Amino acid sequence: VIETTTSTSPIEFDLAQFFAGMFGAFMPDGASDEEKAEMETVLAELRFLISIDESTSESATRFDPAAGLARQVDSTSATNIAMDINFPDEETNEMVGFVMNMTLDQDISYRMISGPTA
């Protein structure tokens, strides 16, 4: 049995710039100054921030040294993810947003069930 502890650093990324580019691509070539100003306002308020906390996972691998194969892996981890989103509503074009926090708890088991030496 090989026991492993894996850690990840916190991650934060904002997809607003990606979505701003995508929304901006839909601006008609002959858009009026008013339409351009409205789009700039929307893009300035656009937010799609995702934060993932530092996490740790524990795993145990049952290794068959004679066959040179991992027969089973059991892993447990927990991760906290937060999202802060502000985007235009399709019908009203008003900005709407929400904040979501979630915790993902995982217990995963992998085992070899087929193959030449399963």
Side-chain angles (χ1 to χ4, degrees):
V1 175
I2 302 168
E3 295 183 353
T4 307
T5 300
T6 305
S7 299
T8 61
S9 300
I11 302 168
E12 184 173 287
F13 56 98
D14 193 346
L15 295 173
Q17 191 173 30
F18 167 77
F19 287 116
M22 188 174 72
F23 291 149
F26 291 107
M27 177 64 70
D29 289 336
S32 68
D33 289 342
E34 183 179 316
E35 289 172 320
K36 290 177 184 176
E38 186 177 317
M39 178 63 82
E40 286 178 19
T41 300
V42 167
L43 297 180
E45 296 178 17
L46 192 65
R47 186 174 57 255
F48 206 106
L49 181 63
I50 300 171
S51 302
I52 304 172
D53 290 348
E54 176 181 9
S55 66
T56 302
S57 67
E58 304 287 332
S59 65
T61 303
R62 284 155 184 79
F63 187 74
D64 180 346
L69 298 170
R71 298 286 183 183
Q72 182 172 335
V73 178
D74 298 305
S75 180
T76 302
S77 66
T79 304
N80 296 310
I81 301 171
M83 297 174 72
D84 184 1
I85 298 173
N86 198 42
F87 58 94
D89 180 71
E90 286 184 41
E91 293 180 18
T92 65
N93 236 13
E94 297 291 322
M95 296 302 282
V96 294
F98 66 89
V99 174
M100 177 176 58
N101 292 300
M102 62 182 147
T103 299
L104 303 173
D105 293 314
Q106 298 182 81
D107 290 316
I108 302 171
S109 289
Y110 301 98
R111 65 186 173 94
M112 182 179 286
I113 57 172
S114 66
T117 58

